[in-house]
Amino acid sequence: MIVKVIVTLKKGVLDPQGKAIEQTLIGMNFANVDDVRQGKFFEISINENDEQKAKNQVDDMCKKLLANLVIENYKIL
């Protein structure tokens, strides 16, 4: 089973990489760009047939390794 996870910075956390991307896009004449926030995407192949068990395991992975819960949020898809 494949479980997908998106990790993003919490609102209010400074995102220098997102700001650099935003400025570059504006410099490339994409003048209507208001804001860019960057994040991480994980696609995890897990040997589990029960979808809820797989998502519970991935949730545990996020809490322990994949996301810094102080500054990041995550969403399991």
Side-chain angles (χ1 to χ4, degrees):
M1 171 174 290
I2 301 290
V3 180
K4 298 175 182 179
V5 179
I6 297 174
V7 179
T8 56
L9 290 170
K10 291 182 177 181
K11 293 209 182 284
V13 174
L14 188 62
D15 185 358
Q17 185 176 1
K19 189 54 77 177
I21 294 166
E22 175 188 336
Q23 292 301 316
T24 301
L25 289 171
I26 292 169
M28 295 172 68
N29 294 321
F30 294 103
N32 60 343
V33 172
D34 290 328
D35 190 33
V36 175
R37 304 282 290 171
Q38 63 86 34
K40 301 179 274 189
F41 175 77
F42 297 95
E43 192 172 86
I44 302 169
S45 177
I46 188 164
N47 187 11
E48 177 61 62
N49 293 327
D50 183 297
E51 182 177 357
Q52 192 56 52
K53 285 183 182 179
K55 286 185 175 184
N56 288 343
Q57 288 180 336
V58 171
D59 184 65
D60 199 31
M61 292 174 196
C62 289
K63 290 175 181 173
K64 292 181 177 179
L65 177 67
L66 302 179
N68 178 345
L69 300 180
V70 174
I71 61 169
E72 294 175 319
N73 292 317
Y74 65 92
K75 183 176 183 178
I76 299 172
L77 306 175

